[in-house]
Amino acid sequence: MIRDELKRLVARHLEAENAHRMAETLATLHPECVFEDVATGEIYNGIDGAEAYYRMWWDAFQLVVVRDEQTRSYWVDDEIRITETRFSGRHVGTFMGRSATHRPIGFRFAVFITFRDGLMAGERFYYDLKGLLDQIDGINPAG
């Protein structure tokens, strides 16, 4: 029962995130959420931190999370979900000092999602930052 509720929560979160609807995305998060971007080493705390994290990505990219046959999700228990999937989009704004190139980008990632009080308590996000920057710089095509 709890897991079904959390699955619905994640689905609402993903729908809002893909549509870049900030208020709806943030409504799925616990007030004391923690977002950790392992690739950059940055940690974002609370709703304000989460908003800054989403804004950084949404301002730089027209991104959507692609759920397809390569997507894998695993429940460790009712408090942790691990998902492997990918982002697809276009570089439309400044990211890590790189101005918009309008190049297509795509990359795989893994995210560990934790839950607290029926909300998402945070995400730990793993991806190939160098591969993403290479795509922005035109070194490698979108993957």
Side-chain angles (χ1 to χ4, degrees):
M1 181 68 161
I2 291 173
R3 192 168 294 174
D4 289 339
E5 292 171 15
L6 295 178
K7 284 180 183 178
R8 287 190 292 275
L9 173 72
V10 171
R12 282 195 319 272
H13 176 87
L14 185 58
E15 180 182 338
E17 181 179 342
N18 274 346
H20 295 194
R21 294 189 305 256
M22 186 64 77
E24 291 176 47
T25 301
L26 297 177
T28 63
L29 304 178
H30 190 277
E32 297 173 5
C33 61
V34 177
F35 280 66
E36 182 179 359
D37 187 321
V38 175
T40 66
E42 296 291 325
I43 296 176
Y44 300 81
N45 293 295
I47 297 295
D48 290 343
E51 182 173 4
Y53 188 64
Y54 284 113
R55 185 64 50 218
M56 175 185 73
W57 283 96
W58 294 355
D59 287 351
F61 302 102
Q62 290 174 335
L63 281 180
V64 294
V65 175
V66 177
R67 297 192 55 85
D68 57 19
E69 66 281 349
Q70 294 180 340
T71 298
R72 304 284 186 270
S73 289
Y74 312 93
W75 287 92
V76 175
D77 54 33
D78 286 337
E79 296 178 7
I80 300 174
R81 178 178 175 154
I82 302 167
T83 298
E84 298 176 286
T85 193
R86 64 188 176 90
F87 274 126
S88 180
R90 185 166 301 281
H91 178 223
V92 296
T94 301
F95 183 75
M96 299 195 85
R98 289 161 167 84
S99 297
T101 63
H102 301 282
R103 289 188 177 99
I105 59 103
F107 61 97
R108 294 177 59 189
F109 68 91
V111 60
F112 287 62
I113 304 168
T114 56
F115 300 91
R116 180 173 166 194
D117 301 331
L119 295 169
M120 293 173 59
E123 296 183 8
R124 188 174 322 123
F125 189 48
Y126 294 86
Y127 60 99
D128 176 7
L129 178 59
K130 181 183 180 320
L132 172 59
L133 296 177
D134 284 351
Q135 288 179 49
I136 291 170
D137 293 339
I139 295 170
N140 288 317

